[in-house]
Amino acid sequence: MEPINLTQNTDWEFIEQVKKESGENPSLCYQCGNCTAGCPYTKYFDFPVNQIMRLLQTGQKETILRSRSIWLCATCETCTTRCPCQIDIAHIMDVLRIIARRENYVAEKEVKIFYDAFLSSLKHHGRIFEVGILMGYNFRSGHLFTDADLGPKILGKGKIHFLPPRIQGRDKVAEIFRKFEEKRKSRG
Amino acid sequence: MRVGVFICHCGNNIAGTVEVAKVAEEARKMPGVAFATTYMYTCSEPGQEEIKAAIAREKLDRVVVAACSPRMHELTFRRTVEKAGLNRYFFEMANIREHCSWIGEDKELNTNKAIEAVKIAVEKVKQNKPLFPSRFKINKRVLVIGGGVAGMQAALDCADGGLEVVLVEKSPSLGGMMARLDKTFPTVDCSICILGPKMVDVSQHEKITLYAYSEIEEIKGYVGNYQIKIRKKATYVDWSKCTGCGACVEKCPSRNAYDYFNFGVAPCRAINIPFPQAIPKKAKIDPKFCRQFTKGKCGVCAKICPVGAINYEMQDEIVSEEVGAIIVASGYGLIDLDKLPEYGGGRYPDVISGIQYERILNASGPTAGHIVRPSDHTEPKTIVFVSCAGSRDKSIGIPYCSNFCCMYIAKQAILTKDHIPDSQCYVFYMDIRSPGKGYDEFTRRAQEEYGVKYIRGRVSRIYPKGKKLVVKGADTLLGTQVEVEADLVVLATAVIAAPDARILAEKLHISYDPYGFYVESHPKLRPVETNTSGVFLAGACQGPKDIPASVGQGSAAAAKVLSMFSKDTLESDPQIARVNQNICVGCRKCIRTCPFGAIEEQELRDGRIVAKVIETVCAGCGICNSTCPCGAIQLQHFTDNQLLAEVNALCLT
Amino acid sequence: MSYLAGKELRIIGFLCNWCSYGGADTAGVARFKQPTDLRIIRVPCSGRVNPLFVVKALLNGADGVLVSGCHPRDCHYSEGNFYARRRLEMLKRLLPFLGIDERRFHYTWVSASEGARWQKVVTDFTKIIHELGPLHPKKESTE
Amino acid sequence: MAEKEYVYFPGCSLEASAIEYDLSVRKVLGALGVKLIELDDWSCCGSTPAHSVDHGFAAAVAARNLALVEKMGHSTLITPCPACLSAFKKAHLRMEKDKDFQKEVNSLLDEPYQGGVTAKSVLQIIYEDIGIKAVAEKVKIDLPDLQVAPYYGCIINRPPAVMEFDDPENPVAMDRLMEAVGIKVCDFAFKVECCGAAFGVTKRKMVNELSAKVLAMALEAGANCLVVTCQLCHQNLDLRQEQINRTMGTSFNLPVLFFTQVIGLTYGFSPQELGIDKHNINAEPLIKSRRPVEERIKEEEEKAKAKKPKPKKAEEEES
């Protein structure tokens, strides 16, 4: 790992930004490692949670936003529940993910694509249309046959609707998307 | 009236954010001020000489020093002015450091606040009257609360110094926590072997009266003259007869009593003697489990006792003692495992606390020193120690470090290796805190010689898997998760204040911190004193402490008492209430409100009933003063006129 | 000169010598930033504070008065702060009849070890008084 | 028992892949005399994907539903789905705590949410509002072969500050309910360990590995069936169980039932009525033997009688 020049490469604004958006104070963390110890995903992370917290304390924006960890966090709340310093770590991971998405750092394409598929289903139908999402995901991710093996299992059991759900309120939901996009643009 | 004002720079502590020269200049303008100057360190010897000189040179009759908090140096300067021939109460202090120069950077605001602080002091000092302390005799007996190592040390030092000591211990035997330990760090010598002799000395010392299995019921009085009520709890065994032969324990049919001494590692009999070296070595019945009490029939022990000491009718007994000083050494407590649900919350028998493990390691413990798992009595091969189990954990309200866990874990790991050579110990830690003499070498030895594996990270969870316990932690140095499949897990549970610490504090009128630990008079310079004169602290009741520190404090507290008792009389504080009997209408309001019963009726020759203050009893709180409808009773040095002078100094300008 | 017109208001605090006065010391030692308006008068016990002092202060020029003693049941003189509480509660109810906003008078408990709490108490109370503004506008000019 | 009435939010999956959960919830609550009013025109809670975009946005998507509940003049919303629940609770809590946030969220909504709705899980209202006793009273059938490991999943009671229900490390609500309806419950260590959550599609191997651990621990605990309260857990553990066996080379065959299905069975509903036939792993063998509960009671009484004459010694041990 490259030596980090803390004098030049500490991104103080980033630290402040995360503080502000999460309402949490990273300085409370004394690196006990409890989050990493309890996290079901540590094995799959490129940086274990306590190191994400450490990178945050030292203002290593690039490294954090490029990390896969923030996309593989499932918000299972184990870290938040057990943190002896009462830091809402899961919420911080959430904020980091949001910033990464906003600034187009996405280390885990699939996850983002799936989320997008989910959201577009939400946007168009107001509810989630599972088959639609799966097909949308498979198409965009190029993994055409993801979970194709599961199809028959549910099919036989009459669990799948081939037509999306339709609710009157779906335009209202789309409206939320529209207003949010506008706001986002006006904020720049 | 000629007031002299001395403003202290306190190096840069004050001068850094207060224009002391300006303060002096403004002071000179104040009515009654004849002289004002500044000095680098007023509390230094030359500084005090400067004051004395000025008093003589400028013919000053009142002195104001603007410097640090009066809680710091008021006594110092009172002595100074006294040496210069003034009454020591012709002196006031203006706190321009803690309350002024240290609370902000704004020089203009601070300087202005300092000037006003001086002004208040000047107006007050002009109202001051000379006061003269009287002396009163003191009762040279001392009460020691708590028979742990700190309390016993204090008791022995006092007794050897020729004082009569009353030692009150709430459990049935002396020894406290130390008596439960197997070995002590960093020397690994036998705990009871070094403590036992002390216990014997205490019990045999002709100057020490021991009340075991007793608690403090009530404390009345003041420094030099306390009246204590002690509750001797019913043991249902006449200790004057009991020889400690143990026949009753042998035969007791109720085998599932909770063993307080062994922290419930194994059950004990309803009638028991806590441990072989117990002092006094007497039996006691636990009525919660004794079948004579629960079922109303049994009486086995009464039948078996060769000296007929058993007495199921026994009641608590209240005894009174009179002492002149009190040493509090009431010790500490430990959190229960149920505070740690992620570690099983006490549901897994093989997840135990450090003190329980001490009992298992201990030759006189329930397993006779053989290390076995509580669940199936098999010998564990893999033992995991978890430090900071509850300590440094804001989420359960314990942000502080428990002080000695790092060390006893290292000790227990070493002992484990000695007992079971083919065992492997793991220690999960966040920081190794071993600042004492020979301490760090000791924790190193655990790793270097005994191959104890230290893993830097907290344990997130412990769960059973077959006969094993899976300890799921992190190794933050590796940046990975680690798992150990353990046979036994020992949690270094957090140290907390003793269960009844707060209640005792209220009886003693001493203050405690948010966690229930007692607050010393000054964190550095008065570590064993409290703000209540005559009450001293020793050991872990003041905060988590290891044996050497507790013993040290025990001796320190004893020394304080001995020096206080080296005089036959104490100077009474003249800052007490005084009645102007010409104005008093005898309404008795003051008599009713006084918390100390320090005011009594007095009939004058003309038959008028008026209030009269018993000087030695009055503690000087001034409640009577603000209760009196006609201002007849005034708290000296804090009279209505003096306080109003301060108020007016601020308002009517 | 009295307080710095414009910058400060006149706030008087009666502090128990055993707890709150020490708490203020602790706050200072820890260098906790605090507003400078407060002027501290040391008393042996909050029970010594005669409601009359508070009224006099408010009528004669103070914009706010703070009384701080030991936590209930932790009184150095065992009951002093109870008497204080009773009297000062009463006083709080009376102030409006004197045409004084009761928020200008506050009593609370701070122990000698609670430096942080002291900082909060002073800061909050000063803030309230500044929101209420001067009680004696004409006194503004005294400089 | 007094007729209770709740506004009900099934959630998207319960319309499709987890339809059996919805079926069983309606059956059981019906039997317990609870009237469900399905929230009219409800929309998706937003789930994880929404709060990977923006917290205000996520809250808006969830709060739209809460606003609808408010409009109906109700103050409680119940849902079987822990993910929806946590979305609702988080949105509500933060809007309550932070007024600016509330403004921001409401600016995205056509009908603002005032903050008057408490979301609860179906598990919570059965456990707290209806209560063990009432649940036990309705039992008709005994299932002697069933030995369940209650699996709560990560978020139905965590973080405690938000979810305000049961113990975050060792929840017992389902355990108690299962015991109440006469089912043997195993002491299960992985009650709250994560199953892989929403990564089933994108990170299948990861999910398979995590779920495998849960299944393994359930067997370890001596269970022959998992009981769950989350349809996502169910998907990962039941629907993907064969996937797991393939990826991990295991040979699990452990039925996974929704807790409402188990209760339903003891109330005498047929497996079909409760949609148990819709599961991937066949639970039939375990629930085949179903007998009137009276038989068990008789058995137990006999056992008790057999125990009665105890040797004096043993009795002493207890005291």
Side-chain angles (χ1 to χ4, degrees):
Chain A
M1 195 168 168
E2 277 293 300
I4 301 170
N5 180 327
L6 293 174
T7 326
Q8 291 162 21
N9 307 341
T10 303
D11 188 333
W12 299 99
E13 290 90 55
F14 179 64
I15 300 176
E16 284 314 308
Q17 181 188 12
V18 176
K19 265 191 185 167
K20 194 169 153 300
E21 289 194 29
S22 68
E24 297 290 321
N25 175 6
S27 309
L28 292 182
C29 171
Y30 59 45
Q31 284 294 313
C32 69
N34 199 336
C35 44
T36 296
C39 178
Y41 299 89
T42 301
K43 174 180 167 190
Y44 312 96
F45 282 8
D46 45 2
F47 293 96
V49 195
N50 73 295
Q51 286 186 9
I52 295 282
M53 290 300 291
R54 186 68 196 141
L55 287 163
L56 178 54
Q57 289 176 326
T58 52
Q60 301 304 303
K61 180 175 181 179
E62 285 291 312
T63 323
I64 293 178
L65 296 189
R66 288 186 191 291
S67 76
R68 299 171 44 228
S69 304
I70 57 177
W71 289 94
L72 294 180
C73 164
T75 326
C76 76
E77 308 283 3
T78 309
C79 46
T80 299
T81 305
R82 294 185 190 152
C83 177
C85 305
Q86 296 175 295
I87 306 171
D88 190 340
I89 303 163
H91 187 62
I92 290 183
M93 294 294 273
D94 224 14
V95 167
L96 295 172
R97 190 160 45 233
I98 290 170
I99 297 173
R101 182 189 262 274
R102 207 186 297 146
E103 307 193 6
N104 302 317
Y105 292 85
V106 178
E108 282 291 339
K109 288 271 169 303
E110 288 89 352
V111 177
K112 181 172 177 300
I113 293 172
F114 179 73
Y115 286 174
D116 292 344
F118 184 103
L119 290 166
S120 76
S121 173
L122 170 56
K123 184 172 182 177
H124 294 106
H125 315 303
R127 287 184 194 170
I128 294 316
F129 173 37
E130 288 164 334
V131 179
I133 295 177
L134 195 53
M135 294 195 308
Y137 167 78
N138 292 3
F139 181 67
R140 288 203 207 70
S141 66
H143 310 307
L144 288 184
F145 298 106
T146 304
D147 283 341
D149 56 330
L150 300 183
K153 300 190 192 314
I154 358 187
L155 254 177
K157 310 213 153 81
K159 286 180 160 194
I160 288 192
H161 309 290
F162 282 94
L163 292 175
R166 306 195 132 272
I167 64 169
Q168 308 93 295
R170 67 179 184 284
D171 49 333
K172 302 255 177 54
V173 178
E175 191 60 10
I176 298 176
F177 278 80
R178 203 182 51 65
K179 287 186 184 160
F180 174 67
E181 289 309 330
E182 273 175 9
K183 263 214 157 98
R184 164 78 43 96
K185 283 197 196 64
S186 62
R187 276 209 215 98
Chain B
M1 206 168 290
R2 298 178 58 79
V3 182
V5 181
F6 301 80
I7 296 112
C8 184
H9 294 239
C10 195
N12 259 343
N13 287 313
I14 293 170
T17 59
V18 171
E19 291 175 50
V20 284
K22 176 114 191 295
V23 179
E25 177 194 324
E26 288 298 326
R28 288 188 197 98
K29 300 182 194 157
M30 297 176 190
V33 174
F35 173 79
T37 183
T38 73
Y39 199 84
M40 188 49 113
Y41 287 106
T42 316
C43 61
S44 67
E45 200 189 351
Q48 297 187 43
E49 288 309 320
E50 168 85 11
I51 296 178
K52 288 189 209 155
I55 291 175
R57 190 177 67 243
E58 309 285 335
K59 314 215 163 6
L60 305 174
D61 55 11
R62 299 279 196 284
V63 172
V64 168
V65 170
C68 52
S69 169
R71 287 163 59 97
M72 191 78 179
H73 274 318
E74 191 167 50
L75 294 176
T76 318
F77 291 117
R78 276 184 179 166
R79 266 185 249 111
T80 315
V81 299
E82 199 164 36
K83 288 209 194 78
L86 297 183
N87 181 283
R88 74 173 82 153
Y89 292 94
F90 281 155
F91 166 78
E92 284 296 326
M93 253 184 119
N95 183 340
I96 63 168
R97 192 178 74 172
E98 284 83 348
H99 293 185
C100 186
S101 71
W102 277 352
I103 68 168
E105 302 299 328
D106 187 320
K107 235 176 164 155
E108 186 193 15
L109 290 176
N110 287 357
T111 307
N112 177 58
K113 184 171 183 176
I115 293 165
E116 297 212 335
V118 171
K119 189 157 153 209
I120 300 174
V122 169
E123 290 308 315
K124 166 91 194 299
V125 83
K126 287 195 284 185
Q127 297 292 329
N128 284 8
K129 302 270 170 298
L131 298 176
F132 305 92
S134 55
R135 307 194 68 87
F136 62 94
K137 284 194 62 55
I138 51 176
N139 178 344
K140 294 189 180 181
R141 301 178 83 230
V142 55
L143 167 71
V144 178
I145 304 173
V149 69
M152 287 196 290
Q153 186 64 44
L156 285 169
D157 289 0
C158 289
D160 292 344
L163 302 179
E164 274 186 42
V165 179
V166 176
L167 177 54
V168 175
E169 164 57 43
K170 76 166 183 297
S171 71
S173 168
L174 290 169
M177 286 292 188
M178 185 176 172
R180 295 170 160 105
L181 309 183
D182 179 32
K183 304 284 190 292
T184 59
F185 59 79
T187 48
V188 197
D189 48 354
C190 163
S191 185
I192 198 67
C193 309
I194 54 176
L195 187 70
K198 267 196 194 302
M199 292 163 65
V200 176
D201 293 350
V202 169
S203 65
Q204 292 178 352
H205 206 297
E206 75 283 353
K207 287 206 168 290
I208 299 178
T209 316
L210 170 61
Y211 293 100
Y213 202 52
S214 304
E215 291 184 26
I216 300 301
E217 183 74 5
E218 177 191 275
I219 298 174
K220 279 200 176 318
Y222 52 95
V223 57
N225 299 281
Y226 287 104
Q227 299 84 40
I228 316 292
K229 281 198 168 53
I230 299 163
R231 173 179 294 274
K232 290 174 73 178
K233 295 177 282 185
T235 58
Y236 306 103
V237 177
D238 181 343
W239 281 8
S240 62
K241 296 191 186 138
C242 176
T243 61
C245 68
C248 52
V249 183
E250 281 304 309
K251 292 282 174 296
C252 176
S254 162
R255 295 173 170 74
N256 277 1
Y258 181 82
D259 188 337
Y260 293 92
F261 185 78
N262 288 320
F263 281 84
V265 172
C268 66
R269 309 294 176 103
I271 185 166
N272 60 64
I273 298 170
F275 58 106
Q277 306 87 340
I279 286 182
K281 193 173 184 194
K282 309 281 182 188
K284 149 188 163 292
I285 291 175
D286 184 340
K288 271 212 263 8
F289 297 91
C290 171
R291 307 171 77 218
Q292 185 66 35
F293 289 86
T294 55
K295 294 206 170 66
K297 60 168 169 46
C298 179
V300 172
C301 47
K303 280 188 219 82
I304 218 74
C305 179
V307 294
I310 309 296
N311 169 12
Y312 300 117
E313 307 306 313
M314 191 183 271
Q315 298 292 323
D316 289 6
E317 182 191 347
I318 304 288
V319 295
S320 302
E321 286 283 358
E322 302 208 328
V323 300
I326 302 173
I327 295 174
V328 190
S330 47
Y332 65 95
L334 293 159
I335 58 163
D336 294 332
L337 294 183
D338 60 23
K339 298 275 184 311
L340 308 164
E342 68 272 39
Y343 298 161
R347 286 179 298 130
Y348 311 138
D350 296 330
V351 178
I352 61 176
S353 68
I355 191 72
Q356 287 177 317
Y357 194 52
E358 284 290 341
R359 294 314 298 155
I360 291 177
L361 286 167
N362 195 304
S364 65
T367 62
H370 302 300
I371 303 179
V372 293
R373 310 189 337 149
S375 63
D376 56 10
H377 295 88
T378 57
E379 191 178 68
K381 295 297 178 192
T382 309
I383 299 91
V384 171
F385 296 87
V386 180
S387 58
C388 299
S391 310
R392 302 174 66 190
D393 188 339
K394 287 198 201 108
S395 68
I396 60 170
I398 305 179
Y400 54 85
C401 166
S402 289
N403 177 298
F404 47 71
C405 320
C406 288
M407 292 308 296
Y408 82 64
I409 284 177
K411 175 199 70 185
Q412 292 183 338
I414 287 175
L415 293 173
T416 307
K417 193 71 178 174
D418 283 338
H419 281 62
I420 313 172
D422 63 339
S423 66
Q424 178 58 58
C425 292
Y426 297 86
V427 174
F428 283 88
Y429 73 99
M430 291 193 286
D431 305 283
I432 301 176
R433 299 191 166 171
S434 50
K437 188 176 180 183
Y439 284 15
D440 202 55
E441 298 88 320
F442 187 72
T443 58
R444 287 309 311 160
R445 254 177 73 208
Q447 299 169 66
E448 294 162 3
E449 288 173 39
Y450 291 82
V452 179
K453 289 271 167 284
Y454 271 65
I455 299 157
R456 202 273 166 204
R458 242 187 210 269
V459 169
S460 172
R461 223 188 136 215
I462 299 169
Y463 60 87
K465 193 170 179 207
K467 285 180 144 328
K468 297 268 183 181
L469 289 156
V470 179
V471 180
K472 202 155 171 268
D475 185 326
T476 59
L477 303 179
L478 288 174
T480 68
Q481 261 171 353
V482 289
E483 283 186 2
V484 183
E485 296 194 350
D487 301 308
L488 184 68
V489 181
V490 179
L491 304 177
T493 47
V495 171
I496 53 175
D500 298 341
R502 289 176 174 79
I503 301 167
L504 181 59
E506 282 146 23
K507 289 176 179 161
L508 288 157
H509 304 316
I510 59 176
S511 42
Y512 46 87
D513 68 18
Y515 313 105
F517 292 112
Y518 300 152
V519 176
E520 64 279 24
S521 184
H522 188 283
K524 293 168 193 61
L525 301 178
R526 293 165 64 83
V528 297
E529 295 92 325
T530 68
N531 281 334
T532 304
S533 64
V535 179
F536 304 89
L537 303 175
C541 62
Q542 177 263 354
K545 238 173 241 64
D546 63 4
I547 293 168
S550 302
V551 172
Q553 280 201 329
S555 291
K560 290 288 173 186
V561 173
L562 284 162
S563 69
M564 189 173 98
F565 285 178
S566 63
K567 312 174 205 67
D568 297 328
T569 60
L570 281 182
E571 217 174 49
S572 73
D573 187 341
Q575 301 176 71
I576 55 171
R578 193 172 295 162
V579 183
N580 178 341
Q581 300 190 325
N582 305 329
I583 319 179
C584 178
V585 296
C587 68
R588 298 180 181 77
K589 279 206 176 68
C590 52
I591 299 179
R592 264 180 268 116
T593 50
C594 178
F596 303 91
I599 310 175
E600 57 190 9
E601 289 181 14
Q602 183 185 25
E603 184 170 0
L604 302 177
R605 280 192 207 76
D606 60 11
R608 268 171 62 233
I609 298 294
V610 293
K612 176 174 174 300
V613 176
I614 311 164
E615 285 195 7
T616 49
V617 182
C618 175
C621 62
I623 294 169
C624 52
N625 197 156
S626 27
T627 311
C628 180
C630 45
I633 192 164
Q634 290 290 329
L635 176 63
Q636 300 308 298
H637 210 59
F638 292 96
T639 62
D640 291 342
N641 291 342
Q642 288 171 312
L643 291 175
L644 285 174
E646 296 184 75
V647 173
N648 294 337
L650 292 166
C651 295
L652 301 172
T653 41
Chain C
M1 66 168 278
S2 74
Y3 52 89
L4 294 180
K7 282 203 184 142
E8 279 184 350
L9 286 175
R10 162 65 67 236
I11 304 176
I12 299 177
F14 294 91
L15 272 57
C16 162
N17 170 58
W18 301 105
C19 48
S20 301
Y21 195 95
D25 284 357
T26 312
V29 173
R31 309 296 198 278
F32 291 149
K33 295 243 168 312
Q34 303 156 44
T36 49
D37 308 46
L38 183 76
R39 303 288 180 261
I40 293 172
I41 295 175
R42 182 163 155 242
V43 290
C45 174
S46 52
R48 171 65 187 95
V49 178
N50 188 330
L52 207 71
F53 300 163
V54 180
V55 176
K56 263 204 159 42
L58 288 169
L59 292 180
N60 294 349
D63 302 303
V65 175
L66 173 71
V67 175
S68 186
C70 305
H71 286 271
R73 297 196 1 278
D74 190 17
C75 176
H76 184 75
Y77 303 104
S78 67
E79 295 163 14
N81 50 4
F82 281 124
Y83 287 104
R85 176 152 60 177
R86 241 172 276 141
R87 292 195 192 113
L88 300 174
E89 248 322 308
M90 192 61 71
L91 173 65
K92 221 165 169 34
R93 295 205 209 96
L94 288 176
L95 285 177
F97 297 99
L98 300 169
I100 298 171
D101 187 319
E102 62 164 55
R103 283 171 299 169
R104 291 186 182 277
F105 167 64
H106 181 55
Y107 71 94
T108 183
W109 324 115
V110 176
S111 83
S113 54
E114 296 175 313
R117 176 170 157 77
W118 171 253
Q119 177 191 34
K120 190 174 181 316
V121 166
V122 181
T123 316
D124 294 354
F125 186 63
T126 311
K127 192 158 156 293
I128 291 173
I129 298 305
H130 276 265
E131 281 162 11
L132 293 168
L135 176 57
H136 313 271
K138 53 201 126 5
K139 296 190 98 44
E140 267 305 87
S141 55
T142 49
E143 254 302 299
Chain D
M1 165 186 43
E3 173 98 352
K4 288 195 170 62
E5 190 179 85
Y6 292 99
V7 183
Y8 177 64
F9 182 97
C12 303
S13 328
L14 274 76
E15 281 196 313
S17 60
I19 191 157
E20 64 272 34
Y21 194 8
D22 183 59
L23 288 174
S24 56
V25 166
R26 291 176 187 273
K27 281 266 179 299
V28 168
L29 287 183
L32 288 165
V34 174
K35 187 152 160 291
L36 292 181
I37 314 157
E38 179 162 344
L39 179 60
D40 180 40
D41 196 43
W42 58 269
S43 53
C44 170
C45 70
S47 188
T48 322
H51 61 85
S52 77
V53 174
D54 176 273
H55 285 120
F57 168 74
V61 174
R64 174 180 180 269
N65 295 292
L66 298 177
L68 289 178
V69 179
E70 240 167 7
K71 217 163 81 193
M72 292 171 67
H74 280 264
S75 61
T76 314
L77 174 66
I78 70 167
T79 174
C81 169
C84 304
L85 180 68
S86 109
F88 292 142
K89 276 184 164 293
K90 282 183 172 174
H92 170 82
L93 214 68
R94 181 145 177 218
M95 287 174 82
E96 204 179 35
K97 272 212 317 277
D98 175 350
K99 290 297 153 206
D100 303 343
F101 183 74
Q102 185 178 25
K103 269 198 220 70
E104 179 194 338
V105 173
N106 281 335
S107 73
L108 299 176
L109 291 170
D110 52 344
E111 314 217 8
Y113 170 56
Q114 309 300 353
V117 178
T118 333
K120 286 183 177 181
S121 66
V122 167
L123 175 62
Q124 184 173 9
I125 64 127
I126 295 182
Y127 185 62
E128 288 177 350
D129 298 13
I130 297 168
I132 301 284
K133 202 169 152 295
V135 170
E137 281 165 359
K138 294 267 181 301
V139 175
K140 297 197 192 69
I141 300 299
D142 174 45
L143 301 156
D145 300 343
L146 215 51
Q147 293 193 22
V148 302
Y151 177 63
Y152 295 75
C154 9
I155 53 175
I156 194 158
N157 48 18
R158 303 188 312 177
V162 177
M163 305 312 277
E164 301 164 307
F165 173 58
D166 212 343
D167 183 303
E169 295 294 347
N170 180 37
V172 294
M174 265 203 283
D175 298 54
R176 299 282 166 275
L177 286 174
M178 289 298 113
E179 287 159 5
V181 296
I183 303 296
K184 290 180 217 65
V185 177
C186 307
D187 188 0
F188 181 41
F190 268 33
K191 284 177 174 180
V192 293
E193 222 66 16
C194 184
C195 67
F199 289 117
V201 176
T202 52
K203 297 283 164 205
R204 173 170 151 182
K205 186 162 172 301
M206 183 169 89
V207 171
N208 290 164
E209 285 173 2
L210 290 169
S211 299
K213 283 194 196 150
V214 175
L215 294 167
M217 281 306 286
L219 294 175
E220 174 75 37
N224 57 16
C225 172
L226 268 169
V227 179
V228 300
T229 173
C230 167
Q231 75 292 337
L232 192 54
C233 302
H234 190 274
Q235 202 178 66
N236 289 339
L237 295 165
D238 173 75
L239 182 59
R240 295 184 182 277
Q241 201 169 113
E242 282 169 29
Q243 247 182 25
I244 294 170
N245 288 337
R246 247 180 285 114
T247 351
M248 311 289 299
T250 49
S251 52
F252 292 114
N253 180 26
L254 188 72
V256 185
L257 299 179
F258 290 104
F259 77 104
T260 42
Q261 290 177 312
V262 177
I263 298 177
L265 285 170
T266 65
Y267 285 9
F269 295 107
S270 73
Q272 291 67 24
E273 289 175 286
L274 299 162
I276 293 178
D277 56 331
K278 294 185 183 298
H279 292 339
N280 181 33
I281 305 297
N282 179 11
E284 192 49 32
L286 290 179
I287 57 178
K288 200 155 69 272
S289 59
R290 298 202 284 279
R291 55 178 190 178
V293 70
E294 293 73 16
E295 287 182 28
R296 188 186 73 225
I297 296 167
K298 213 183 289 120
E299 238 177 52
E300 280 162 357
E301 279 164 354
E302 273 147 19
K303 275 214 198 78
K305 265 202 225 77
K307 272 212 194 69
K308 261 285 165 324
K310 262 194 298 171
K312 199 122 196 49
K313 198 85 177 61
E315 188 200 327
E316 282 169 359
E317 295 297 89
E318 296 171 344
S319 57

